Amino acid sequence: MRRKALAAAVAALFFVPLYMALVNVFKRGRLIAPSPASLPIPPTLDNVEAVFTRTDHLFWVSLTNSLIVTSLSIGILTVLSAMLGHYLARTAGRGARWLTLVLLSGLMIPPQVILKPATDVLREIGLMTTLPGLILFNVGYYVPFGVFVFTGFIRSIPVELEEAASIDGATRMQVFWRIVFPLLRPATASVLIFLGVWIWNDFLNPLIILGPSLGTTITTGIYRSIGQYQQDFGALFAFMFLATLPVLIFFLLLQKQFVKGLTGGATKG
């Protein structure tokens, strides 16, 4: 009984900010500051309409950039991580062990630590303040996580399947794409969800790499929608609400494979 009460209390604690954000989306702006926790009676869609019809098209530009950056980043990361994870899982040698150690060390480095040298590199190659530069940064930083997930999962796949395909004349690339990769759907779903949410919600890296005025993603768009002297809180809550919808839908589409991907590499390795 105590556990249920504790679980309910923790759930209520986490639900409060979600409730506050949701009810204020459909509440008139002048009513938010006096009573932020009250129900939106009567509800209105004026806040959502205000976001959609901004003269600077901030929401649509931010949404487009985030979709481009997130989709290309997780697509490249998935392919690179799966191929490198397969190599490390099937290679026995000192070089593979050292490479694994180097990649896992990358998981312990906060992105803020490498942001300054990364921006110097991007500036030298002419990719600073560009979407390709932000995508390249995401790929370089998050590939260790993808390799970690895929390596553990691939070790649970019988190597005899690959050996049988090789005996039948399949090349190493054919073995990977036709035999191994189709079996990696649970791990792929986990990598896509984790990295998709992280990259979509990232604020500091797009702000620095794209610049505060030269480019915007969905998170920096929320930041730029806040005025210096006045703010429409209703439109701000609507902007935040609309920003969460794509990644929420993305998670719901892949949730069936999510847990399988997290536990798939835990039984063998």
Side-chain angles (χ1 to χ4, degrees), residues 97-260:
R97 289 196 295 270
W98 275 106
L99 181 57
T100 302
L101 180 62
V102 171
L103 289 172
L104 293 180
S105 299
L107 294 174
M108 298 180 287
I109 302 176
Q112 295 81 4
V113 174
I114 63 173
L115 186 55
K116 178 58 171 64
T119 55
D120 292 339
V121 172
L122 292 176
R123 189 174 291 107
E124 287 295 326
I125 62 179
L127 292 180
M128 192 63 180
T129 68
T130 66
L131 294 182
L134 180 58
I135 294 170
L136 181 61
F137 175 86
N138 291 333
V139 172
Y141 181 75
Y142 290 112
V143 72
F145 174 81
V147 171
F148 174 76
V149 174
F150 279 116
T151 300
F153 195 89
I154 290 172
R155 285 173 178 164
S156 67
I157 299 175
V159 70
E160 291 79 10
L161 294 175
E162 301 176 41
E163 294 174 347
S166 299
I167 293 174
D168 289 338
T171 64
R172 192 165 186 176
M173 291 295 293
Q174 290 174 331
V175 169
F176 175 77
W177 288 112
R178 297 184 180 182
I179 305 298
V180 178
F181 194 73
L183 298 175
L184 299 180
R185 284 180 296 179
T188 301
S190 296
V191 171
L192 290 175
I193 289 174
F194 271 115
L195 297 184
V197 171
W198 291 344
I199 294 173
W200 184 270
N201 292 333
D202 190 13
F203 171 74
L204 181 62
N205 296 325
L207 181 67
I208 300 300
I209 294 176
L210 296 180
S213 61
L214 297 177
T216 179
T217 59
I218 201 70
T219 50
T220 57
I222 296 173
Y223 169 74
R224 290 179 58 184
S225 69
I226 301 175
Q228 183 176 1
Y229 301 106
Q230 62 180 359
Q231 177 56 48
D232 183 353
F233 288 106
L236 179 61
F237 278 107
F239 203 125
M240 292 188 293
F241 170 73
L242 294 172
T244 63
L245 287 182
V247 72
L248 178 61
I249 295 172
F250 182 65
F251 172 78
L252 293 176
L253 292 175
L254 298 179
Q255 64 174 334
K256 292 183 179 180
Q257 302 291 336
F258 182 60
V259 176
K260 292 182 181 179

Side-chain angles (χ1 to χ4, degrees), residues 28-117:
R28 299 190 182 279
R30 67 177 184 273
L31 302 177
I32 294 178
S35 55
S38 63
L39 292 174
I41 302 175
T44 178
L45 293 177
D46 291 346
N47 298 326
V48 178
E49 183 180 357
V51 174
F52 285 155
T53 58
R54 285 180 62 110
T55 57
D56 57 0
H57 306 291
L58 179 62
F59 173 75
W60 298 111
V61 173
S62 303
L63 179 64
T64 301
N65 288 340
S66 283
L67 288 174
I68 293 173
V69 171
T70 304
S71 59
L72 290 180
S73 295
I74 62 178
I76 297 172
L77 279 165
T78 300
V79 173
L80 290 180
S81 301
M83 296 179 70
L84 185 53
H86 179 257
Y87 169 77
L88 295 177
R90 296 297 190 237
T91 302
R94 183 176 298 179
R97 289 196 295 270
W98 275 106
L99 181 57
T100 302
L101 180 62
V102 171
L103 289 172
L104 293 180
S105 299
L107 294 174
M108 298 180 287
I109 302 176
Q112 295 81 4
V113 174
I114 63 173
L115 186 55
K116 178 58 171 64

